[in-house]
Amino acid sequence: MSTRRISHPLALLGVSVIFALLIGLGIWQLQRADEKQAWFDGYSARISEAPIQITARLLGPDRSNFPAEVRGRFDGEGQFLWDNRTHQGQPGFHVITPFVITPGETRILVDRGWIPLFGSRENLPIPKIPAGPRVISGYLYESKPGFTLEARAPEYDSTLRQNLDLSAFASSAPYTVQPYVLRLDMDQRDGFVRVWPVPDQTAVRRHEAYAVQWFGMAAVFIGVVVAMWRRELRARRRPVRNKIHE
């Protein structure tokens, strides 16, 4: 951008767009920091709560990250592998098994943890389903549908899914499903590799630092534009002064 054209309408439009973009990115990072802080605060408050006793009655909203216990048995049908899960850089799956809540026939999906992919997906592993009544515990997780290449939702008996879409699973299941997934506690014997995400304030500080960088870039950018504009004004005044002296 030439110093002699900084006041051109197109140049001013470009300056406005770039400045708004930099400020917008800074605000977005602050919003992300607020979201992570809210997640951290909510997790910290809920982690010490007494476990929710899950029954056949459907859980209400805002129960994510609460500890929970449920009595019943693992279902021999409906288990599937949640694809494209990694652990320490190795591809694999999460094993999702329905759990029949006693009394009744309502299920809650239990994430039993990660297992590795060996070979190709043409020969999928078949994790053993624990038998018999039991009490299991874990933390509630509200699964959100993510990006998928699937043209339509898988059938109920699909053994491999790209997405942990509870609403899609519940709509195809022949029984009622709780609107949360139970992430099995690490000390429970019916699971596999379990390293559940735990929020910390490092992510909050990182987003705040990114915001400062974007705002700083916006300030530097405006400073450069102002300096160029002042140089342009001085350059315009010189010919006028020369004519006056003549």
Side-chain angles (χ1 to χ4, degrees):
M1 186 183 297
S2 172
T3 57
R4 296 183 180 180
R5 302 295 302 278
I6 193 66
S7 59
H8 191 279
L10 289 179
L12 292 176
L13 177 61
V15 167
S16 301
V17 170
I18 294 173
F19 180 72
L21 176 63
L22 294 174
I23 293 297
L25 288 170
I27 293 174
W28 176 67
Q29 288 294 341
L30 288 179
Q31 291 172 341
R32 293 287 292 154
D34 289 342
E35 292 172 2
K36 293 293 178 66
Q37 185 65 52
W39 184 28
F40 176 81
D41 293 341
Y43 182 87
S44 300
R46 295 175 178 189
I47 200 72
S48 58
E49 293 281 343
I52 295 174
Q53 301 299 316
I54 300 177
T55 65
R57 183 177 181 180
L58 294 183
L59 294 167
D62 198 28
R63 291 293 183 267
S64 285
N65 297 322
F66 272 102
E69 289 182 349
V70 57
R71 182 182 300 274
R73 59 179 175 81
F74 283 103
D75 193 353
E77 298 180 358
Q79 176 172 278
F80 62 89
L81 302 178
W82 183 12
D83 201 1
N84 300 316
R85 304 295 97 190
T86 60
H87 174 65
Q88 297 181 347
Q90 184 176 358
F93 317 91
H94 275 207
V95 180
I96 311 297
T97 310
F99 190 85
V100 184
I101 302 170
T102 303
E105 292 297 320
T106 299
R107 270 73 160 173
I108 184 169
L109 295 186
V110 179
D111 190 339
R112 297 167 59 199
W114 179 88
I115 59 173
L117 166 65
F118 293 114
S120 70
R121 286 174 173 77
E122 295 179 358
N123 297 307
L124 294 173
I126 305 176
K128 183 179 179 181
I129 298 175
R134 63 198 61 223
V135 177
I136 62 173
S137 62
Y139 293 88
L140 296 173
Y141 165 62
E142 188 174 8
S143 175
K144 303 292 185 182
F147 175 77
T148 178
L149 296 176
E150 295 169 331
R152 57 188 179 87
E155 300 295 333
Y156 165 70
D157 57 356
S158 297
T159 57
L160 183 67
R161 293 173 182 256
Q162 294 183 13
N163 225 335
L164 184 52
D165 188 341
L166 265 177
S167 59
F169 180 87
S171 64
S172 64
Y175 43 73
T176 303
V177 181
Q178 286 282 0
Y180 294 88
V181 175
L182 183 71
R183 284 174 165 164
L184 197 63
D185 270 338
M186 296 180 66
D187 60 355
Q188 295 283 296
R189 57 189 173 92
D190 298 320
F192 304 98
V193 177
R194 282 154 285 172
V195 184
W196 306 127
V198 177
D200 59 52
Q201 290 190 307
T202 302
V204 177
R205 302 292 174 259
R206 182 169 60 250
H207 285 297
E208 290 175 343
Y210 289 156
V212 170
Q213 290 178 3
W214 286 118
F215 290 141
M217 291 174 63
V220 171
F221 176 71
I222 287 299
V224 171
V225 170
V226 170
M228 294 172 66
W229 177 67
R230 294 178 65 180
R231 288 177 59 186
E232 181 180 346
L233 287 180
R234 287 196 297 267
R236 287 180 176 180
R237 289 171 182 167
R238 288 194 193 102
V240 175
R241 291 176 181 174
N242 292 337
K243 289 181 179 180
I244 293 175
H245 290 304
E246 291 176 358

